[in-house]
Amino acid sequence: MLAICTGLYDIHLRGVVGDMVKRRWTISVLLMGSLLALAGCNEKPATNKPVHEKEKVTEPEKQPSQKPQEQPPKEEEKTPVVVNVIDPNTKSIIKTFLPEELGFASNQDSYKQEIEQWAKDLARGTNKTAGYDQRMVLDKIAPNGQIIKGKPLIILDETELVNRVMTASAEGGEIELPITVTESGYKPEDPAHLSEVVVGSFTTYFNSGVVGRSRNIELSAIAINNVIVGKQDIFSFNTTVGPSDAAHGYQPAKEIVNKKMVMGIGGGICQTSSTLFNSVDQVGVSYIEKHHHSLSVGYVPQGRDATVSYGGPDFRFQNTTGVPLLIRTIYAKGKLTVEVRTSAAYKGLIKK
């Protein structure tokens, strides 16, 4: 009986174990199927790497470092040398020079000659432009005692200007024109006393019946009457009288031209200039310009004449007496007198 029970128990146990094995096997199959299903869902193309592996980033191959090719050093651009010439009155640039372009470095002599010609034209003027140089127009005393102002003497120093440009041409820069302005050399209180004493006088005569000539002498005498010639002032007959043409009231009269007597507007004014010369010659002025006629004239001694022509020969002198002077003219029928006067206080100071 026991054996039967034991056998039955074994049979039963085997059944139980078999059922358990079957269940485990079934569970295993199901589990494997699930895993296969999951593996199928996560499947990637064959070219892809396994999920557990990190993708490696391929870096570009490093080329061997090359030193940049050295460029030749650039030459520094030179700033051109520029010389600006300034007008000291207006402060404006009147001329700009580029010395290098004009050959300053290669031919300095030629460069200097060009600057000299420019300076000459600038000072004295050309046919198209007026120069900086200006003759002095002397002041006059009007009949009412008021002063009629003239113009100062203006001189542009050509030599100094050339030197300044040449010096600046080496490195460039600005230079000013070397201009000298000279006012008349007398004091404000002088005019009231300059007519006090006569220190020089001369008289010439003419035929008052020759109307044209007489009128020309009169007009030129009026032009120089009561002119103040200050210390060191330069008197110019042509500048003081101006054009002796019909527009200014001058008339036709005989005059000497190339050793011949010809009719011309303004004939006779040389008698005024010659009379003035013989008067101022008594006080020892210095002469800057004086010319003789090509023929002898009868109104002054031989060689004592001073011919003039506007735009041509001039009679010019400088007052080197050391005191201011006054020119006084007295025109009468057939007679012209020119006096040189000054104040009584200055009479004894005149240098002769």
Side-chain angles (χ1 to χ4, degrees), residues 60-126:
E61 287 188 27
K62 293 184 179 181
Q63 298 294 331
S65 59
Q66 294 181 353
K67 293 183 179 181
Q69 188 174 0
E70 293 185 2
Q71 299 292 332
K74 293 183 178 180
E75 292 185 5
E76 293 185 5
E77 294 185 2
K78 293 182 179 180
T79 303
V81 174
V82 177
V83 178
N84 289 321
V85 183
I86 309 297
D87 185 312
N89 298 317
T90 64
K91 302 302 179 183
S92 60
I93 298 174
I94 64 165
K95 183 71 174 180
T96 296
F97 287 105
L98 298 175
E100 185 176 350
E101 293 184 5
L102 296 175
F104 172 71
S106 58
N107 193 338
Q108 222 172 84
D109 289 339
S110 177
Y111 178 77
K112 185 176 182 180
Q113 288 175 3
E114 187 169 344
I115 301 302
E116 287 173 341
Q117 184 60 52
W118 168 76
K120 179 180 177 181
D121 292 341
L122 188 67
R124 309 177 196 184
T126 65

Side-chain angles (χ1 to χ4, degrees), residues 127-276:
N127 293 333
K128 296 181 180 180
T129 59
Y132 272 84
D133 287 357
Q134 173 183 283
R135 287 186 177 181
M136 180 176 284
V137 178
L138 300 176
D139 297 352
K140 293 181 69 175
I141 301 176
N144 61 1
Q146 297 297 313
I147 301 298
I148 302 172
K149 292 296 295 181
K151 295 179 180 179
L153 173 69
I154 299 178
I155 297 295
L156 171 59
D157 190 332
E158 299 171 35
T159 301
E160 176 61 20
L161 176 57
V162 172
N163 290 339
R164 291 184 184 183
V165 173
M166 292 298 293
T167 300
S169 294
E171 298 182 359
E174 292 185 350
I175 63 168
E176 284 194 349
L177 293 176
I179 295 176
T180 302
V181 179
T182 305
E183 298 287 347
S184 185
Y186 70 91
K187 300 175 183 178
E189 62 270 21
D190 286 337
H193 306 281
L194 290 179
S195 62
E196 291 176 347
V197 294
V198 177
V199 291
S201 179
F202 197 82
T203 300
T204 59
Y205 301 87
F206 55 90
N207 184 354
S208 60
V210 181
V211 178
R213 180 179 173 82
S214 299
R215 180 56 176 165
N216 295 338
I217 293 173
E218 180 182 15
L219 288 176
S220 57
I222 292 172
I224 67 172
N225 186 45
N226 280 333
V227 167
I228 301 171
V229 187
K231 293 186 293 184
Q232 298 301 318
D233 286 1
I234 296 175
F235 175 95
S236 164
F237 188 89
N238 287 344
T239 301
T240 305
V241 174
S244 54
D245 54 22
H248 291 82
Y250 289 86
Q251 299 180 13
K254 286 185 178 182
E255 57 185 4
I256 300 172
V257 179
N258 296 326
K259 297 183 179 181
K260 294 181 179 179
M261 295 294 296
V262 299
M263 291 296 291
I265 303 297
I269 64 170
C270 292
Q271 182 160 346
T272 304
S273 59
S274 296
T275 307
L276 172 63

